[in-house]
Amino acid sequence: MVVLVVLLQALFPHMAWESHTAKCRVQYPQRPLHMYNQPGDFIIGSIASHGSFLFSSATFTEEPLSALPEELVVVPKGYQHILALAFAVKEINENPHILPNLTLGFHIHDSYINAIKTYHATMLLLSTLEKFLPNYICDTQNNVTAVIGGLDSQISLHVATILDIYKIPQRDWDATIFNGAITFKIHSNDLPGFHQYIEGRNPFNAEGDDFIWDFWQHAFGCVFPHHILDDVMGDICTGMENLEKLPASLFEMTVQGLSYSIYNAVQAVAHALHAMFLRGLSYPGMVDGRREKLQKQQFWQLHHFLRGVSFNNSAGDTVSFNQNWEVISSLDVINWVISSNQSFHRVKIGRMNPETSPDLALTLHEDAITWHGWFNQVQPLSVCTENCHAGSRKKVKEGEPFCCYDCIPCPEGKISNQEDMNDCNTCSDEEYPNKNQNLCIPKDISFLSYGEPLGISLACFALYFSMITALMLGTFVKHHNTALVKANNRDLTYTLLISLLLCFLCVFLFIGQRNMVTCLLRQTAFGIIFSVAVSCVLAKTITVVLAFMATKPGSRMRMWVGKRLTNSIVASCSLVQAGVCAAWLGSSPPFPDADVHSVTKEVVLECNEGSVSMFYCVLGYMGFLALASFTVAFFARKLPDSFNEAKFITFSMLVFCSVWLSFLPTYLSTKGKYMVAVEIFSILASGAGLLCCIFAPKCYIILLRPELNNREHLVRSKV
C-alpha cells in the first residue's frame, strides 16, 4: 500500500538572526534507510509501503545504532507505486501547458507499514530540510500544502493525525481490495510511455532512489557486493537483470489500480497548482522571465482548486471530484486467472459504476469468468429473487433494494435475449419475436405469387372467364346479322364484351411480385376499364327506356334513340373516371412498397396506393355508375317491350353492387397478400355477374335455340 502525501516546497530567502551571516545548527536525529529525492520548485511528498521489518524481542538501555534490523522484508510489487509517482512528475515537468517555467520534485520516505515509522516519515516531510523541527524557519523549509489520503486506512489515519495539527488539507483514494478469484480493482488504464519509462531502469541509473536496491535484491533473488556483510550466499546482482522477465506476482510492467491512483493524484495536484497560478492567489509571480522571491503560502486555499479540478489524463480518462470531494471513479471487476507456472493475468469481467442508477451499478459478463476448480460454476443468485430468464424482464419492487424484483414477461412484439434484463427490446422491422420472446427471427417475404395455390387458382379463374368472354364475343360477331344481336345494339354489346375481357385480363397485373409499372397500371387500368363496362350497361338501360317511350304515337323521344346517345353516355362516363385516374397519377401515384407491420411474421411486398382517398374515389365513382344503372333498370324491368333487357340488367347490377359493397369491409379487415386476393375476387365475381346475367341467355338462344332468333318471335315474346 502507498499513502501519497502531496507537499509543496516554497523556497524562502536565507534569514539571518543577527547582522552577521550565522546560521542555526540542529543535529539530524537519524537518517531514514530508504529515500528517493528529486529537487524542484515544488515538492511532491510520498510515504510508501515498500517493505517492513521483522523484529525480535530486545531491551535497549541506550540509543540503538542505525544498523539494519534483523530482517527487512520487501514487497516488490509496491515499487511500482514509487515509479508511478516519479513518472507522473516527469510527465508534468515535460508538459509546457502545466506550471510553465516551474518544476516539480519529490521526497519519498517509507512507512515500513508501522505506525511509529509512519509518524516519523510524516514529520520528516513537514520539517526543515534535514532538521527535525516542524514549522521552525531556519534555512530552507518544506511547507506542506495538501495531503491525498492513504490507500491503506491505517496509514491514512496515522498521517492525518499529524497533518490535522497543521491544518494541512488531506484527500485521492478510498478503495477496498478483495482477495480471491474475483476482486474489485480501482479502474486503471494504460499510460502511454510508462512501459518505456521503467523497462530500462536499474540501480545504476536511478540516482537518489534508495528503494531500488532492496527491491532489486528481493525481486531477482541476488545481492549487491557493496551490501554484503558476510560471506556471499547466492547470486551477485549485476544491475542488468531484465524487469520484463519478472513474474506478475512480483512486478508488472503495466500500471495497475493503486499506481494509477497515485499517478492521477499527482496530476490533480499539478492541475490545481496551475489553476492557482493562473488566478494569482498567493502564488509566486513571474516578471521578465525572472522568478520573484517566494512568499509563504496559505496552502489551505488549494482545497478550492482541487474541488474544481477536471481533466483528461494521458490515458484518456477523466479525473474530477463530486460534491463530496470524492474522486468520480469506478471499479473494475477482475477475474484472476492463475497458470500452472504461477503466472497470472487479469481478465476484466465487469464494472462497478456508482454514478449510474442502482440497477445498473454492477454489470458482470458471466461467460468471461474462469471459476476455480471447486466452484460450482454458477453465478450466485440474488438474495431476494432468482434470475429473470430470457423472454422476461425485471420489475423493481417499490421500497425494496434494487436486487429485489419481479420477473414479468416481455410485452407482445418485444424480446429479451439475456437474463436479468431491465427492459425488453423491439425487433427490427424485418424481424419478429419467436414464441418464447427470447430471439428475433427474420420475416418471410410475402406476395401473391403464381407459385402458391391461391395465386394460381385466381389466375386460372381469370383465364377461364377471359376465354368465355372471348367465345361470347366471337359468337356475337359471327351472328351479327341475326335479329337478337341487332335488337341488343351490336356496337354497345361489342364494347361491353371487350371491356369485360380486359377486366378479366387486368387481374394478372395484381398477381406476382410488384414493380413500378404494375403498381402504376393495375388500379388505374381496372378503374377505367370497369367504368367503361358499367357505362355500357347504363347506356343499354337508358336505351331500353327511350326505345319504349319512342314507340308511343307522337313521341319526340325517337330522335334520341340511336348510336349517338349511347356513344355519348359511354364516352362521357368513362372520361370522368379517366380524369380521376390522371389526377391520381399526377398528384400521388402508387409505388412499390414493403409492409413490415401488418403481418407479424411477414414482410409483405405490395403496391402502396399513394393516395388512399383517390383509390376510394375511383371505387366510389364506379359504385355511382352501377347504382344509377340498377335504379334505371329496376324501374324499366316491366316495360311491355319484347326487346327489353332491363330485367337482366337489374339482376346483373344487383350482383355487381352486392359484390363491391361486401368488398369494402372484407378488404379493410384482411392483411398482406390477402387484401390483393379480395380485390381480385371482387373483379372476377362482378365481371362474371355481368357476363352471365346479360349475355348467357342470349348465347343460349343463338347457339341452342336458333329457331327463336327471328324477328317474328321477338315481337311475340319477351327476351
Side-chain angles (χ1 to χ4, degrees):
M1 293 293 181
V2 169
V3 60
L4 180 65
V5 183
V6 179
L7 304 170
L8 300 178
Q9 180 193 46
L11 303 176
F12 285 84
H14 297 310
M15 300 182 62
W17 295 97
E18 304 290 345
S19 58
H20 52 79
T21 59
K23 297 181 181 179
C24 53
R25 299 174 181 272
V26 180
Q27 182 180 0
Y28 190 75
Q30 182 176 350
R31 185 184 186 279
L33 292 174
H34 300 95
M35 293 191 304
Y36 186 8
N37 298 335
Q38 177 177 308
D41 299 318
F42 297 95
I43 300 299
I44 300 293
S46 175
I47 298 179
S49 297
H50 178 64
S52 63
F53 290 116
L54 296 180
F55 293 96
S56 59
S57 299
T59 302
F60 298 101
T61 58
E62 61 183 12
E63 182 178 357
L65 298 175
S66 58
L68 283 173
E70 289 186 1
E71 183 179 357
L72 174 65
V73 179
V74 173
V75 182
K77 287 183 69 67
Y79 184 60
Q80 190 189 80
H81 306 153
I82 298 170
L83 294 179
L85 188 148
F87 176 72
V89 170
K90 173 180 177 294
E91 195 176 72
I92 292 169
N93 288 337
E94 293 174 352
N95 189 342
H97 302 293
I98 302 178
L99 300 175
N101 300 320
L102 298 173
T103 59
L104 289 183
F106 55 80
H107 289 167
I108 304 176
H109 299 293
D110 199 351
S111 69
Y112 301 107
I113 318 178
N114 178 278
I116 296 176
K117 294 293 185 181
T118 301
Y119 289 136
H120 180 254
T122 306
M123 292 298 290
L124 285 176
L125 293 174
L126 292 173
S127 302
T128 303
L129 284 178
E130 299 191 358
K131 312 291 190 299
F132 199 53
L133 294 174
N135 280 2
Y136 182 67
I137 301 176
C138 179
D139 215 347
T140 303
Q141 181 187 2
N142 292 339
N143 290 297
V144 180
T145 61
V147 174
I148 298 175
L151 293 170
D152 179 86
S153 58
Q154 290 298 320
I155 293 179
S156 179
L157 181 61
H158 298 328
V159 174
T161 302
I162 299 297
L163 297 179
D164 185 60
I165 299 174
Y166 302 99
K167 294 183 172 58
I168 302 300
Q170 181 176 2
R171 294 297 299 153
D172 182 31
W173 297 93
D174 184 16
T176 304
I177 305 302
F178 298 93
N179 293 323
I182 297 178
T183 61
F184 289 96
K185 181 176 72 70
I186 298 172
H187 172 73
S188 62
N189 214 335
D190 289 336
L191 295 175
F194 182 74
H195 187 279
Q196 292 78 4
Y197 174 72
I198 63 176
E199 66 179 349
R201 194 174 184 87
N202 62 64
F204 301 114
N205 63 13
E207 183 180 357
D209 186 356
D210 290 344
F211 296 93
I212 195 171
W213 299 95
D214 287 321
F215 160 76
W216 208 268
Q217 293 180 126
H218 283 76
F220 291 104
C222 60
V223 292
F224 287 102
H226 66 280
H227 282 180
I228 299 172
L229 299 179
D230 299 317
D231 294 336
V232 175
M233 299 293 293
D235 298 331
I236 298 296
C237 295
T238 65
M240 295 297 106
E241 289 81 6
N242 192 348
L243 288 172
E244 292 189 272
K245 293 184 178 180
L246 289 175
S249 58
L250 287 179
F251 187 79
E252 296 179 79
M253 300 293 289
T254 57
V255 68
Q256 297 304 317
L258 301 182
S259 301
Y260 193 67
S261 300
I262 294 170
Y263 171 86
N264 285 333
V266 177
Q267 291 281 350
V269 171
H271 280 80
L273 280 172
H274 185 74
M276 190 174 179
F277 169 73
L278 294 178
R279 287 284 298 271
L281 295 178
S282 302
Y283 195 86
M286 298 292 293
V287 179
D288 297 330
R290 295 174 296 173
R291 191 181 316 281
E292 293 183 348
K293 294 183 178 180
L294 298 173
Q295 302 297 326
K296 182 175 177 61
Q297 305 298 312
Q298 299 295 324
F299 289 115
W300 54 266
Q301 297 177 1
L302 196 62
H303 268 301
H304 170 75
F305 296 96
L306 277 172
R307 174 174 288 185
V309 161
S310 180
F311 62 93
N312 290 336
N313 62 19
S314 61
D317 286 338
T318 301
V319 180
S320 60
F321 298 89
N322 61 18
Q323 66 274 15
N324 298 323
W325 282 62
E326 298 169 342
V327 173
I328 300 175
S329 182
S330 60
L331 298 177
D332 293 334
V333 185
I334 302 298
N335 185 203
W336 294 68
V337 180
I338 311 297
S339 302
S340 57
N341 61 358
Q342 299 304 307
S343 64
F344 68 88
H345 64 278
R346 302 178 179 92
V347 179
K348 183 177 178 180
I349 59 171
R351 188 178 181 187
M352 179 69 179
N353 190 355
E355 297 298 318
T356 61
S357 58
D359 56 339
L360 298 176
L362 177 63
T363 57
L364 283 177
H365 305 293
E366 184 180 0
D367 294 339
I369 301 177
T370 300
W371 295 98
H372 194 278
W374 47 264
F375 282 7
N376 60 9
Q377 306 291 323
V378 177
Q379 181 178 337
L381 295 177
S382 168
V383 175
C384 301
T385 184
E386 294 184 357
N387 293 341
C388 289
H389 299 297
S392 62
R393 69 174 182 87
K394 296 192 299 186
K395 181 181 180 183
V396 179
K397 295 181 179 179
E398 295 240 355
E400 296 190 26
F402 71 92
C403 60
C404 299
Y405 48 81
D406 293 323
C407 296
I408 60 175
C410 289
E412 184 178 357
K414 292 188 175 183
I415 67 146
S416 63
N417 54 8
Q418 297 178 7
E419 290 186 343
D420 291 337
M421 291 190 67
N422 296 300
D423 200 1
C424 298
N425 301 322
T426 303
C427 292
S428 66
D429 290 340
E430 291 76 25
E431 297 176 322
Y432 69 96
N434 64 346
K435 182 179 180 181
N436 296 326
Q437 292 185 282
N438 58 5
L439 183 67
C440 287
I441 302 175
K443 292 182 177 179
D444 296 327
I445 301 299
S446 174
F447 59 91
L448 188 61
S449 68
Y450 293 103
E452 58 182 307
L454 180 60
I456 194 65
S457 299
L458 293 174
C460 290
F461 276 113
L463 189 60
Y464 171 76
F465 285 122
S466 300
M467 294 174 61
I468 295 298
T469 306
L471 289 175
M472 286 187 175
L473 177 61
T475 300
F476 274 79
V477 171
K478 183 178 180 180
H479 300 86
H480 67 283
N481 288 323
T482 61
L484 183 62
V485 176
K486 291 180 178 179
N488 285 278
N489 194 330
R490 286 180 297 187
D491 294 339
L492 204 57
T493 298
Y494 296 157
T495 304
L496 178 56
L497 284 171
I498 293 173
S499 63
L500 286 176
L501 175 62
L502 294 177
C503 285
F504 292 131
L505 292 177
C506 78
V507 165
F508 294 99
L509 294 175
F510 291 82
I511 304 176
Q513 191 167 354
R514 80 285 185 272
N515 54 55
M516 181 60 74
V517 175
T518 57
C519 286
L520 288 174
L521 288 181
R522 67 181 193 178
Q523 297 292 5
T524 54
F526 152 70
I528 294 173
I529 294 171
F530 241 108
S531 295
V532 173
V534 178
S535 299
C536 290
V537 175
L538 178 62
K540 273 181 169 289
T541 309
I542 294 176
T543 300
V544 170
V545 174
L546 293 178
F548 172 77
M549 296 177 65
T551 57
K552 294 181 180 180
S555 174
R556 297 182 180 179
M557 292 297 176
R558 188 181 299 274
M559 60 179 296
W560 293 101
V561 178
K563 294 183 179 180
R564 179 181 297 179
L565 176 63
T566 57
N567 292 340
S568 299
I569 294 173
V570 173
S572 59
C573 292
S574 301
L575 285 175
V576 172
Q577 185 72 294
V580 174
C581 292
W584 184 6
L585 295 178
S587 59
S588 182
F591 58 90
D593 197 7
D595 182 4
V596 297
H597 301 293
S598 297
V599 183
T600 304
K601 301 181 181 181
E602 296 177 351
V603 175
V604 180
L605 302 183
E606 63 174 9
C607 287
N608 190 308
E609 305 303 349
S611 174
V612 179
S613 58
M614 295 300 292
F615 171 64
Y616 287 114
C617 283
V618 169
L619 294 181
Y621 182 71
M622 272 195 332
F624 166 75
L625 292 180
L627 185 62
S629 299
F630 174 76
T631 303
V632 175
F634 179 78
F635 287 109
R637 72 189 186 282
K638 294 183 179 180
L639 292 177
D641 187 356
S642 56
F643 301 101
N644 186 8
E645 291 184 282
K647 59 182 178 180
F648 301 114
I649 294 175
T650 301
F651 190 68
S652 66
M653 287 295 101
L654 182 62
V655 173
F656 186 91
C657 293
S658 300
V659 168
W660 286 104
L661 285 176
S662 61
F663 161 78
L664 289 176
T666 308
Y667 182 81
L668 295 176
S669 62
T670 55
K671 297 179 180 179
K673 62 184 178 182
Y674 297 104
M675 296 179 70
V676 180
V678 167
E679 187 170 1
I680 292 176
F681 176 81
S682 300
I683 293 173
L684 294 176
S686 56
L690 292 177
L691 190 66
C692 294
C693 295
I694 296 178
F695 295 103
K698 297 177 176 58
C699 288
Y700 171 77
I701 293 177
I702 293 173
L703 297 176
L704 301 180
R705 300 293 300 274
E707 70 277 7
L708 301 180
N709 191 4
N710 55 72
R711 194 171 185 281
E712 292 76 11
H713 178 77
L714 293 176
V715 171
R716 259 191 339 265
S717 307
K718 297 179 181 179
V719 178

